[in-house]
Amino acid sequence: MTDPSHTATTYRAARALRWIWVIVAVALLCYLPVLLTERSILGVRLSNMQLLNLGLSQINLMLIAMLGALSLNYLTGCAGLISIGHAGFYAVGAMTAAMTGSQLGWPFPLVLVSAGAAGAIAGLLAGLPSLRVRGLYFVLSTFAMHYIVAFAFLEYQFKAFDVVGVPYKTAAFGTLELNSPMRWYFFLLPVVALVYWGLRNSLRTREGRVMMAMRDHELATTSVGVDVRILRLKAFVLSSAIAGVAGALYAYYLTNLNSEAFNINFAIQFIAMIIIGGMGSLPGSLVGAAVWLLLPSIITGFASQASDSTGFVRLVLVEHKAQLVQLIFGALVILLLIFAPGGVAGMGRQLRNRLATWRGRR
């Protein structure tokens, strides 16, 4: 018979250990921008290769991409609605930010709210075909939505700002301007953490569990009296609202955008992120976005070290660097689909299960 006092002690120890890991993780995340800005740790100068050729701007773009990956994984991995029009929701957010921020002069917080609202409306309209069509037909409807929004952005850009692109003002909260990568980092990091926390908790509610049941067995979910149509629309609205905010953040961070930024490759990258991280795993979305955004810079760093090389090494790492990055990403996605369909998150779960089995046998 298990001793209740021993179980309680073990639970408290595990909980304390989790909090220690959380505190350590927060401390490291807070020190990361200092490390990447000063390029040194505790006064010791680090080389570019020791820092994996990473900069704070790349980390900020990764954080914005994490918002897109989280929203798409919530829609596709958790709700089971496959969409390849996520770049369209980004474009809606960026276009709304241009109208309200650049043209009307609204304050930055209000611009983000309007971008989220516009994204939610676009998601509601994009989700309406899910009430009548399924499978490939629905995927094609999201594909069509992407091109409709891209065309609208192009027409808006030419009529309002001409071919030079859409300019965006400096993001600011009152007198505090986000005019440096470090300020952007300490703004984006809590935003990503808040969105992750909100989506994770929503999946733990009754409606969230029903939504995942709909993903796995839609007919069985319908048979117990659940209106799956409402759930689909809710998932689309929430996902696209987050993507709309991410699009506005992306536009403000880059300060200038044109319609070509939201091409089909931009949409496909989010699908690749959730495949790499793990379909249906919110932590996997973060990992997938990190791999997709940071790996090219790391490969570029290694390529710069091989600039003096000759022969095959120079041919691959220097002269065909872009093709090498595409080859690595393509091979990574194929290998994950074959040997680890659950992505990095699935491999993590398998490792934890094996460790638990090994400890149980001791």
Side-chain angles (χ1 to χ4, degrees):
M1 184 175 179
T2 305
D3 185 3
S5 61
H6 175 72
T7 303
T9 303
T10 304
Y11 173 77
R12 288 194 295 268
R15 187 175 181 180
L17 183 61
R18 283 198 300 270
W19 276 109
I20 291 173
W21 278 113
V22 169
I23 293 171
V24 170
V26 171
L28 291 175
L29 289 173
C30 290
Y31 185 70
L32 179 62
V34 179
L35 172 65
L36 295 179
T37 302
E38 297 182 355
R39 317 300 284 182
S40 63
I41 180 170
L42 301 178
V44 179
R45 192 70 180 175
L46 298 177
S47 67
N48 198 44
M49 275 307 300
Q50 288 174 322
L51 293 172
L52 299 178
N53 195 39
L54 298 178
L56 195 52
S57 292
Q58 295 157 311
I59 300 297
N60 289 336
L61 289 173
M62 176 198 72
L63 291 172
I64 296 174
M66 283 179 173
L67 293 175
L70 282 169
S71 61
L72 181 61
N73 213 347
Y74 180 83
L75 179 67
T76 300
C78 301
L81 297 169
I82 301 175
S83 171
I84 54 177
H86 223 55
F89 300 129
Y90 258 65
V92 168
M95 188 161 52
T96 304
M99 293 177 181
T100 56
S102 300
Q103 291 186 300
L104 299 179
W106 289 9
F108 181 61
L110 194 56
V111 169
L112 294 183
V113 173
S114 64
I121 294 172
L124 178 63
L125 296 176
L128 289 177
S130 70
L131 303 181
R132 299 186 62 88
V133 296
R134 300 287 187 277
L136 182 60
Y137 295 101
F138 177 68
V139 174
L140 290 176
S141 72
T142 63
F143 191 55
M145 184 276 301
H146 163 78
Y147 279 104
I148 291 172
V149 174
F151 176 76
F153 193 102
L154 179 64
E155 291 296 308
Y156 168 71
Q157 173 192 326
F158 283 160
K159 290 181 179 179
F161 300 99
D162 209 354
V163 296
V164 294
V166 181
Y168 294 86
K169 298 179 180 180
T170 301
F173 292 90
T175 58
L176 178 62
E177 294 186 343
L178 302 181
N179 54 8
S180 68
M182 185 170 292
R183 288 186 176 184
W184 267 105
Y185 175 84
F186 282 110
F187 167 67
L188 291 173
L189 184 63
V191 170
V192 173
L194 183 63
V195 170
Y196 173 83
W197 176 81
L199 291 179
R200 187 192 65 173
N201 286 340
S202 72
L203 293 176
R204 293 177 175 177
T205 63
R206 178 183 179 276
E207 191 171 77
R209 292 192 295 269
V210 170
M211 186 181 69
M212 288 188 287
M214 175 189 72
R215 172 200 63 188
D216 297 330
H217 303 285
E218 182 176 328
L219 185 59
T221 306
T222 306
S223 66
V224 296
V226 176
D227 191 344
V228 297
R229 298 173 300 174
I230 300 299
L231 282 180
R232 292 195 199 101
L233 291 180
K234 285 183 177 180
F236 246 107
V237 167
L238 179 57
S239 172
S240 56
I242 296 172
V245 173
L249 292 172
Y250 184 68
Y252 266 86
Y253 188 77
L254 295 182
T255 69
N256 190 286
L257 274 181
N258 57 52
S259 60
E260 296 178 359
F262 303 107
N263 54 30
I264 194 62
N265 291 331
F266 190 81
I268 291 175
Q269 73 172 353
F270 292 110
I271 299 175
M273 288 176 195
I274 64 176
I275 290 175
I276 292 172
M279 197 79 72
S281 169
L282 295 182
S285 305
L286 306 180
V287 175
V291 171
W292 188 266
L293 267 294
L294 302 184
L295 187 57
S297 297
I298 297 173
I299 295 175
T300 300
F302 282 108
S304 64
Q305 296 294 311
S307 58
D308 297 330
S309 303
T310 58
F312 181 75
V313 174
R314 179 179 178 81
L315 178 67
V316 173
L317 291 180
V318 180
E319 298 180 13
H320 294 86
K321 179 177 61 181
Q323 291 84 348
L324 176 63
V325 172
Q326 294 175 358
L327 176 64
I328 291 175
F329 276 132
L332 179 61
V333 171
I334 291 173
L335 290 175
L336 285 173
L337 288 174
I338 295 175
F339 298 105
V344 176
M347 290 190 293
R349 286 192 295 268
Q350 291 177 2
L351 180 60
R352 287 197 300 270
N353 292 337
R354 290 179 181 179
L355 286 174
T357 303
W358 177 73
R359 289 174 180 173
R361 291 176 179 176
R362 293 181 61 182

